[in-house]
Amino acid sequence: MVISATALLLMASMTIMLIYARKAVKEEATRKASVMLDYTTHSIDNILLSVEQTTGNIYFNMQPYLNNPDMMYVYARKLVETNPYVAGCAIAFKEDYFKGHKLFMAYFHHADSAGIAYADTDVEIDDMFGNTPYTEQSWYANPMKTGKVGWTNPLKGMETSEAPIITFCLPIPSPEDNKPIGVIGVDVSLSQLSKIVQEAKPSEHSYCTLIDQDGTFIVHPLKNKLMDKTALMLKGQSVQKVAKAMISGKTGYSPLKIGGQQLYVFYKPFRRAVVPGRSIEELGWSAGIVYPEDDIFGDYNDLLLYVIVIAVVGLVLSTIITYSYLHNKLKPLVMLTEQAQRI
């Protein structure tokens, strides 16, 4: 009766403790994921801001030399060499802007087009970006048409062997009528961006992702998914649900299953810092952190196992000790009973 009552009380206490412990672990994981999401978005935004400010500095320095095509080569090369995040830079102008040049583009890039450590590679000049004339490419055509500053995927819809990149596009206004006469396009390697982000992953097996408004991966631990596959192409109803929530700009978390592994994904819209003089139109990106269930509840599951083992061992020892104690205390009575039976 004593052991049964103790076991019942212990089970009730353990159940309540473990329920609240699991709740606390989940809340801590949510808080940690929120902090890491903020850290991740800030890290990415700092890289983007660095590229934007470097481009702006080059733009202001080249203002007095807009009629000198040779200086465009100087500034394009300088931009690539002075910012470690920049994979390449193109300064292109509209048709017949420079005399003797129907089309003009100064394009410099690092020798390792898919590289990570740009400081270890040489800067090369090229006369072509992609497989179509630059006047037909989005990084040039859209800013020339709208006059707006922004980030774009210049390789979308193009058949090219170029490494996946995103490009910061800064239109160059005419000193006379303020209409665009050219565009500065600055490339950032997505492989390098992913490496920088993944180095700060929150746990051993977790990873960060960043997708654009179409669901295309901008940051992902697997390079073959960058600008090649979208989140909507992944299989699984739970995955599709999360992808659609991220594309629609929602904030939250959800369980999902990929390849038989149980995961949790925490996601929120990508917000850029407000800096004076910065164009802060929404990019439509969404950041997410994917945690394996073991990374969140691994310690809890270990605690649960330890508590159960300790409880079972404790009850067994209590039973043995209680039985031995009662057996010794009742031994004289047993002897008396045997003697009485004998009489």
Side-chain angles (χ1 to χ4, degrees):
M1 289 177 62
V2 170
I3 297 301
S4 298
T6 303
L8 184 62
L9 182 62
L10 183 60
M11 288 177 60
S13 301
M14 283 175 52
T15 302
I16 294 174
M17 180 193 72
L18 292 173
I19 288 174
Y20 279 95
R22 186 178 179 87
K23 182 180 178 182
V25 169
K26 197 170 185 179
E27 290 176 351
E28 175 62 19
T30 303
R31 186 196 65 79
K32 185 178 180 181
S34 179
V35 171
M36 286 307 303
L37 273 174
D38 289 337
Y39 174 80
T40 301
T41 54
H42 290 160
S43 298
I44 296 172
D45 190 46
N46 286 339
I47 295 173
L48 301 185
L49 181 59
S50 169
V51 173
E52 294 170 15
Q53 290 179 333
T54 303
T55 307
N57 293 336
I58 292 295
Y59 163 75
F60 284 112
N61 289 334
M62 60 183 276
Q63 286 295 302
Y65 306 100
L66 290 179
N67 293 324
N68 186 344
D70 293 335
M71 291 300 295
M72 300 303 107
Y73 291 101
V74 174
Y75 284 112
R77 184 184 185 97
K78 183 180 294 186
L79 202 155
V80 176
E81 292 177 336
T82 55
N83 192 305
Y85 304 121
V86 173
C89 173
I91 302 178
F93 288 83
K94 65 181 182 179
E95 294 184 21
D96 300 319
Y97 179 76
F98 293 116
K99 291 182 179 180
H101 299 278
K102 182 170 181 61
L103 294 176
F104 178 87
M105 179 180 70
Y107 176 47
F108 284 87
H109 61 90
H110 284 277
D112 184 4
S113 60
I116 299 299
Y118 289 119
D120 299 331
T121 60
D122 296 327
V123 176
E124 296 181 348
I125 186 172
D126 209 336
D127 58 358
M128 192 72 176
F129 174 77
N131 55 358
T132 59
Y134 72 79
T135 53
E136 300 176 13
Q137 297 177 15
S138 60
W139 68 270
Y140 174 86
N142 291 342
M144 286 293 289
K145 182 179 180 180
T146 63
K148 292 184 178 179
V149 180
W151 288 87
T152 185
N153 170 21
L155 301 178
K156 188 171 287 187
M158 293 173 57
E159 296 180 2
T160 176
S161 59
E162 296 282 347
I165 58 175
I166 53 173
T167 298
F168 176 63
C169 307
L170 178 66
I172 305 171
S174 170
E176 288 79 22
D177 56 11
N178 213 36
K179 292 183 179 179
I181 58 174
V183 175
I184 303 177
V186 184
D187 304 329
V188 175
S189 167
L190 296 187
S191 298
Q192 186 194 28
L193 189 62
S194 293
K195 182 177 183 295
I196 293 171
V197 172
Q198 296 307 324
E199 285 176 348
K201 63 181 183 179
S203 65
E204 183 180 359
H205 303 102
S206 64
Y207 59 89
C208 302
T209 62
L210 183 68
I211 62 175
D212 65 12
Q213 64 271 24
D214 298 323
T216 304
F217 288 107
I218 299 174
V219 169
H220 197 279
L222 300 179
K223 294 181 181 180
N224 63 339
K225 291 186 181 293
L226 296 175
M227 289 300 181
D228 180 39
K229 295 184 179 181
T230 70
L232 295 174
M233 294 173 61
L234 300 178
K235 297 180 180 180
Q237 186 175 358
S238 60
V239 178
Q240 292 288 315
K241 182 179 178 182
V242 171
K244 291 177 181 178
M246 292 179 69
I247 291 172
S248 61
K250 295 181 180 179
T251 300
Y253 72 93
S254 179
L256 55 90
K257 201 169 187 179
I258 299 178
Q261 185 181 21
Q262 189 65 40
L263 307 167
Y264 281 84
V265 57
F266 299 81
Y267 51 87
K268 68 187 301 184
F270 179 82
R271 297 279 188 255
R272 297 197 292 163
V274 178
V275 177
R278 187 186 194 188
S279 175
I280 56 170
E281 68 276 359
E282 293 297 331
L283 299 176
W285 297 355
S286 182
I289 293 182
V290 180
Y291 283 94
E293 187 178 39
D294 288 343
D295 279 21
I296 297 178
F297 296 112
D299 291 339
Y300 169 83
N301 293 334
D302 291 341
L303 173 64
L304 177 62
L305 178 62
Y306 294 151
V307 169
I308 291 175
V309 170
I310 291 172
V312 171
V313 172
L315 288 174
V316 171
L317 289 177
S318 297
T319 303
I320 294 173
I321 292 171
T322 303
Y323 178 81
S324 299
Y325 178 80
L326 292 176
H327 179 74
N328 290 330
K329 290 295 182 182
L330 294 177
K331 192 172 183 180
L333 183 59
V334 172
M335 294 175 62
L336 178 61
T337 302
E338 290 175 352
Q339 293 298 328
Q341 290 175 346
R342 199 170 292 166
I343 293 173

